[in-house]
Amino acid sequence: MPDVIFPGPEGRLEGRFSPPPRPRAPVAMILHPHPHGGGTMNDRITQALYKTFVKRGFAVLRFNFRGVGRSQGVFDNGIGELSDAASALDWVQSFHPEAQTTWIAGFSFGAWIGMQLLMRRPEIRGFISVAPPANMYDFSFLAPCPSSGIIVQGTNDEVVTANAVQKLVDKLRTQKGITIHHDEIRGANHFFEHELDQLMKSVDNYLDMRLSPDSPIR
């Protein structure tokens, strides 16, 4: 898990990168929660998502958005952070251009940024969105959502209301050509304080299904 520093739109960005273990290995990028809430690439959910993709043979990057840790720049309310994410994906692709597929995963604010990146990058074939802040940010840009994925939400989330997430899921499920999975983790708060194992079981079950050679979702 080498430390990496790579160029972003506002200066250097700091990350942790697990290189591709084989030619054509798929790529995954993991996006952390809101910096003003203490979010960094070392958040426990961000790290757990990172580790599960590493175990599955992906080239995996997690990084600090601008102004976090050793990343240069200042917080930009999501606009600059989306540019950071695009630059980070460019950086991985610059020396691993033969990746067979790309995934994006994000927690809270990172889920919002990740789903915006989906709209810009057709190579992203799957997403994992943990507690996407559907009551705090506008998700109407997902029109249409280009990829299938899973949205996981805690029923006792005190930051992102389960109702707002359900509305987002219902809206995305009206689209043809994609499949949206939705798991609710009973009793979990926004940070899945005591339910990290259940959260990752949900994510891993989904990845088992999607990455299987006979998956019904391409």
Side-chain angles (χ1 to χ4, degrees):
M1 182 169 53
D3 296 0
V4 290
I5 297 284
F6 55 91
E10 288 295 310
R12 295 189 308 274
L13 293 171
E14 171 193 21
R16 300 284 182 279
F17 182 58
S18 180
R22 56 183 169 77
R24 300 197 71 234
V27 163
M29 189 166 69
I30 321 296
L31 302 176
H32 71 71
H34 204 297
H36 288 178
T40 79
M41 66 174 172
N42 295 323
D43 161 82
R44 62 201 274 274
I45 292 174
T46 305
Q47 289 202 61
L49 291 167
Y50 177 94
K51 285 173 183 165
T52 198
F53 277 104
V54 170
K55 271 194 309 215
R56 292 166 182 278
F58 280 64
V60 193
L61 174 69
R62 69 183 204 267
F63 72 95
N64 280 328
F65 288 125
R66 57 185 61 199
V68 177
R70 290 189 295 154
S71 290
Q72 294 178 318
V74 293
F75 181 69
D76 193 33
N77 295 305
I79 299 163
E81 286 72 19
L82 177 56
S83 297
D84 293 344
S87 290
L89 192 51
D90 287 344
W91 178 78
V92 176
Q93 291 171 341
S94 68
F95 59 84
H96 185 51
E98 73 277 20
Q100 61 192 108
T101 188
T102 300
W103 279 68
I104 193 95
F107 168 37
S108 195
F109 174 81
W112 180 57
I113 299 295
M115 294 183 88
Q116 290 180 75
L117 194 62
L118 277 181
M119 299 299 296
R120 296 178 166 209
R121 305 297 283 257
E123 69 270 29
I124 298 174
R125 296 307 310 137
F127 70 85
I128 294 166
S129 226
V130 177
N135 57 325
M136 303 161 82
Y137 294 101
D138 182 6
F139 279 77
S140 62
F141 57 81
L142 291 165
C145 179
S147 308
S148 296
I150 186 170
I151 293 175
V152 191
Q153 176 68 20
T155 59
N156 287 9
D157 192 326
E158 69 292 2
V159 177
V160 175
T161 59
N163 187 35
V165 173
Q166 184 65 59
K167 279 187 184 160
L168 173 61
V169 169
D170 292 344
K171 183 181 163 209
L172 295 179
R173 281 180 169 167
T174 63
Q175 292 180 198
K176 293 181 170 50
I178 62 160
T179 305
I180 302 296
H181 280 64
H182 179 213
D183 276 0
E184 288 195 316
I185 308 297
R186 196 61 43 207
N189 67 11
H190 188 62
F191 299 99
F192 296 83
E193 213 167 338
H194 306 294
E195 294 83 13
L196 185 61
D197 287 350
Q198 291 100 300
L199 166 64
M200 292 315 298
K201 187 167 182 235
S202 166
V203 168
D204 283 323
N205 286 344
Y206 181 72
L207 287 172
D208 286 347
M209 181 274 292
R210 278 293 302 271
L211 301 176
S212 159
D214 52 4
S215 171
I217 305 171
R218 293 325 305 158

